[in-house]
Amino acid sequence: TPDVLVGKRVLVVGGGNSGCDLAVEAATYASRAVQSWRRGYPILPKFFKGKPIDECGERLLRWRLPLWARRVASKLIIRWVIGPPELSGLPRPDHKLFESHPIINSRIHDRVGHGDLTIKPNIARLDGRCVHFVDGTSEEFDVIIYATGFKLSFPFIDTEQLHWRDGKPDLYLNIFHPERDDLFCIGLIQPDSGQWGIVDDQAKLVARYLKGLQERSSHTLGFKQLKDRNDQAWRGGRTYVDSPRHRLEVEHFSYRNELKRRTKLLG
């Protein structure tokens, strides 16, 4: 509940989806609400013509529109529904649409535009209740909420067992160990969509692979060679901003199709 924010000077650190949701709540209940952004992000509205925005995006993907065309369509929707972020006082994005995990929020433009929420840059240092920002400004806060994501860790298993590379397990399809057939990771993804249906598809592929290993099918042996090479050609042509946030990022449509295709090929 927002009770802990009422009457407080609140700083939310982080410009992701959780950070934006928390910031608009703080703007409603706190006496002072500030949000610290490391960079500007494109923001999509939650609804377009009464439909959830992800349904609209899914339709464009089913039509097989290239990335540039989906960017144009999405930019038109943004300008039509909520306008460019810089017009209401939000930071201008420093990257192209879909080069970062999508921010979906229909309220933050309103809160910033009305002056209920102030956007600040990254934090330089903390000094008791006083927060110093990289632009040279400083301000005192009663509550700081860190919406800065998660540090990926597996405290129950040595990282060397997970083929750890660049801060994450380096696995084929984020599932299959390139050297082992007795260790799999299910759910080790951050898709630009809901997760549970994709996780179910991951589990089905693992089950089909294990069954194929038992039967020594030729299709499974071919898949094993792909897994051993750790070929990651399924990324759907996306390039993401170089950030720890995107270490597990997948473009859900091409990734889900690849899971289903591989499952079908394994028979």
Side-chain angles (χ1 to χ4, degrees):
T1 67
D3 298 354
V4 295
L5 307 179
V6 174
K8 302 290 181 61
R9 299 167 297 180
V10 177
L11 170 65
V12 178
V13 184
N17 281 289
S18 297
C20 290
D21 287 343
L22 288 162
V24 296
E25 290 299 305
T28 303
Y29 295 97
S31 64
R32 167 78 170 152
V34 176
Q35 187 179 13
S36 170
W37 287 35
R38 179 172 48 184
R39 59 168 54 91
Y41 295 99
I43 300 175
L44 292 163
K46 284 195 171 184
F47 294 90
F48 178 65
K49 290 193 171 183
K51 290 189 177 294
I53 196 67
D54 60 316
E55 286 188 16
C56 302
E58 198 76 11
R59 183 175 299 175
L60 298 179
L61 288 164
R62 287 199 300 268
W63 290 347
R64 303 291 181 180
L65 291 183
L67 179 59
W68 68 265
R70 284 185 276 125
R71 278 198 176 119
V72 170
S74 299
K75 284 181 179 179
L76 289 174
I77 290 175
I78 290 172
R79 288 185 175 272
W80 189 358
V81 178
I82 54 179
E86 59 269 23
L87 292 185
S88 61
L90 287 159
R92 185 181 181 88
D94 65 355
H95 56 278
K96 294 179 181 178
L97 188 62
F98 303 132
E99 285 186 346
S100 65
H101 190 80
I103 307 300
I104 301 175
N105 194 297
S106 295
R107 300 173 60 197
I108 192 165
H109 283 261
D110 178 76
R111 296 292 85 192
V112 172
H114 279 88
D116 299 320
L117 175 64
T118 300
I119 304 298
K120 290 281 193 177
N122 219 349
I123 294 174
R125 71 182 191 279
L126 303 179
D127 183 14
R129 289 181 176 270
C130 186
V131 178
H132 298 266
F133 299 96
V134 295
D135 63 355
T137 62
S138 60
E139 191 170 339
E140 288 194 354
F141 295 96
D142 304 305
V143 177
I144 299 178
I145 303 174
Y146 288 96
T148 51
F150 301 89
K151 181 180 179 181
L152 187 65
S153 67
F154 291 82
F156 50 86
I157 187 171
D158 291 337
T159 55
E160 64 184 29
Q161 302 295 331
L162 291 168
H163 200 243
W164 200 268
R165 301 287 188 279
D166 299 323
K168 70 178 181 66
D170 185 20
L171 309 176
Y172 179 54
L173 294 174
N174 283 33
I175 304 171
F176 296 89
H177 196 290
E179 300 166 0
R180 305 183 62 143
D181 286 321
D182 59 353
L183 180 62
F184 309 89
C185 287
I186 304 296
L188 190 64
I189 53 173
Q190 178 173 304
D192 54 356
S193 69
Q195 177 148 325
W196 301 115
I198 299 176
V199 170
D200 183 56
D201 289 328
Q202 287 181 321
K204 289 176 180 176
L205 178 57
V206 170
R208 191 65 58 87
Y209 178 69
L210 290 172
K211 185 173 185 290
L213 285 179
Q214 287 182 331
E215 298 171 351
R216 299 191 60 80
S217 73
S218 58
H219 294 299
T220 301
L221 294 178
F223 180 86
K224 179 174 171 57
Q225 292 177 354
L226 277 178
K227 174 186 80 69
D228 294 347
R229 292 202 306 267
N230 200 15
D231 179 16
Q232 299 286 3
W234 48 265
R235 291 191 180 275
R238 292 284 186 91
T239 300
Y240 294 104
V241 171
D242 185 15
S243 167
R245 179 185 191 203
H246 296 116
R247 281 174 178 159
L248 300 178
E249 190 78 21
V250 298
E251 192 276 296
H252 78 280
F253 191 81
S254 59
Y255 182 74
R256 184 178 60 203
N257 285 344
E258 181 70 5
L259 294 176
K260 291 180 180 294
R261 187 173 74 89
R262 292 294 174 190
T263 302
K264 185 177 181 181
L265 288 175
L266 288 178

